[in-house]
């Protein structure tokens, strides 16, 4: 029997409020994270992802108190990312109630961190967050997809397909694959990128970026994702979690 597809709302948090923009810019308020988390739990979310979207770019730590209050409302796995720089940061978030921790910039700066977290807490704890896009300008990677940091504002020149494979070897438990080209556009997931990453790794892939309607979700699973993540379409009521699950089931995918 195939594993059930996970439907994951994402709370992008800035200064204690949930926000949403296009390509991580022009952020607008979408509500209180604790209230939204509780509502998504009631709707049947399989997991919840909480990203402190400006923690890395403004050099401050994830808001532990908000994580703690959010975790108290949930009885489903909670992944927290943003501003995670050290193994001790991971430890603190787990103590605050996170089940998994998303790492992006810190892992790029110090790939050994992936191994360190995996060794200390178990592979299942580490979610590698990959903000990838098609190359722009002078960058020339083998695959044509590059890794970015700072919410897509900074190019790294690192080949995204090389990076996910390397991260799996180092001990990453999952890949949160966010298409910076599709993010916030509501034009559907980047299916080509999902397929290419699926060919490189065997660990689970969470597809993120571009969902606009319930019909956008099954193609992401068909392309190779194990889970689907969305933010603004859920926050602003354009689609509900039960609608996404019904659409997935209609296409023959197992849902919880």
């Amino acid at each position: 029997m195939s594993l059930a597809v996970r439907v994951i709302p994402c709370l992008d948090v800035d200064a204690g409020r949930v926000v949403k923009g296009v390509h991580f810019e022009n952020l607008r308020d979408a509500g209180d994270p604790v209230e939204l988390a509780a509502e998504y739990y009631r709707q049947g979310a399989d997991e919840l992802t909480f990203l402190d979207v400006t923690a890395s770019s403004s050099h401050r730590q994830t808001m532990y108190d908000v994580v703690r209050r959010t975790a108290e409302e949930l009885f489903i796995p909670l992944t927290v990312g943003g501003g995670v720089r050290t193994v001790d940061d991971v430890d603190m978030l787990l103590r605050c109630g996170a089940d998994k921790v998303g790492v992006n910039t810190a892992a790029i700066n110090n790939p050994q961190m992936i191994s360190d977290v995996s060794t200390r807490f178990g592979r299942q704890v580490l979610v590698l967050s990959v903000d990838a896009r098609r190359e722009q300008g002078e960058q020339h990677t083998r695959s044509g997809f590059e890794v970015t940091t700072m919410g897509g504002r900074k190019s790294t020149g690192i080949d995204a397909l090389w990076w996910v494979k390397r991260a799996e070897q180092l001990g990453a438990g999952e890949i949160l694959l966010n298409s910076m080209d599709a993010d916030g556009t509501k034009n559907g997931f980047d299916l080509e990128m999902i397929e290419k990453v699926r060919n490189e790794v065997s660990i689970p892939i969470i597809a993120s970026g571009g969902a606009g309607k319930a019909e956008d979700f099954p193609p992401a699973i068909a392309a190779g994702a194990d889970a689907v993540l969305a933010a603004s379409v859920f926050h602003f009521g354009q689609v509900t979690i039960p609608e996404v699950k019904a659409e997935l089931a209609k296409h023959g995918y197992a849902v919880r």
Side-chain angles (χ1 to χ4, degrees):
M1 183 186 133
S2 62
L3 288 172
V5 172
R6 291 170 289 148
V7 178
I8 307 173
C10 180
L11 305 183
D12 294 326
V13 179
D14 178 28
R17 299 289 291 178
V18 177
V19 294
K20 196 58 200 157
V22 177
H23 306 310
F24 287 107
E25 293 178 345
N26 302 318
L27 300 177
R28 60 179 174 144
D29 190 276
D32 176 73
V34 182
E35 288 174 11
L36 275 171
E39 175 56 30
Y40 291 137
Y41 176 63
R42 284 192 292 271
Q43 280 191 29
D46 298 302
E47 294 186 10
L48 190 81
T49 293
F50 177 117
L51 295 178
D52 190 344
V53 292
T54 53
S56 288
S57 58
S58 59
H59 306 291
R60 62 178 167 73
Q61 292 183 311
T62 313
M63 295 156 293
Y64 295 122
D65 61 316
V66 182
V67 173
R68 199 175 281 113
R69 289 189 294 120
T70 303
E72 285 169 0
E73 295 293 329
L74 298 177
F75 300 94
I76 53 175
L78 172 64
T79 300
V80 181
V84 179
R85 295 181 190 88
T86 67
V87 176
D88 287 340
D89 290 343
V90 175
D91 185 45
M92 184 69 178
L93 286 168
L94 296 176
R95 290 172 189 272
C96 287
D99 299 280
K100 302 186 236 183
V101 176
V103 179
N104 180 348
T105 309
I108 291 168
N109 293 338
N110 175 25
Q112 180 61 35
M113 182 186 179
I114 298 173
S115 298
D116 293 344
V117 171
S118 178
T119 300
R120 183 164 163 189
F121 304 108
R123 187 178 197 122
Q124 77 287 347
V125 162
L126 193 127
V127 179
L128 184 79
S129 184
V130 179
D131 292 342
R133 68 179 178 200
R134 284 168 177 75
E135 288 174 340
Q136 299 176 353
E138 300 300 308
Q139 299 296 342
H140 295 294
T141 60
R142 185 176 55 82
S143 70
F145 289 95
E146 68 160 337
V147 176
T148 68
T149 60
M150 304 295 177
R153 292 186 290 276
K154 185 178 177 187
S155 169
T156 66
I158 297 170
D159 187 306
L161 300 191
W162 173 85
W163 177 231
V164 294
K165 195 167 189 172
R166 177 85 181 110
E168 180 178 37
Q169 292 166 347
L170 287 167
E174 265 185 307
I175 304 289
L176 171 52
L177 182 64
N178 188 33
S179 167
M180 301 313 298
D181 297 319
D183 178 72
T185 63
K186 301 188 177 62
N187 293 326
F189 292 92
D190 189 329
L191 305 180
E192 182 192 2
M193 189 164 78
I194 295 167
E195 285 175 2
K196 288 191 169 182
V197 171
R198 176 77 287 161
N199 288 336
E200 298 295 330
V201 299
S202 58
I203 54 177
I205 296 169
I206 304 164
S208 167
K213 54 191 183 299
E215 292 78 10
D216 289 334
F217 291 85
I221 303 303
D226 302 273
V228 281
L229 178 145
S232 56
V233 288
F234 292 143
H235 304 336
F236 299 118
Q238 286 141 329
V239 67
T240 66
I241 291 162
E243 285 167 356
V244 171
K245 290 193 171 188
E247 188 67 24
L248 289 164
K250 192 168 87 178
H251 284 76
Y253 297 113
V255 292
R256 290 188 179 91

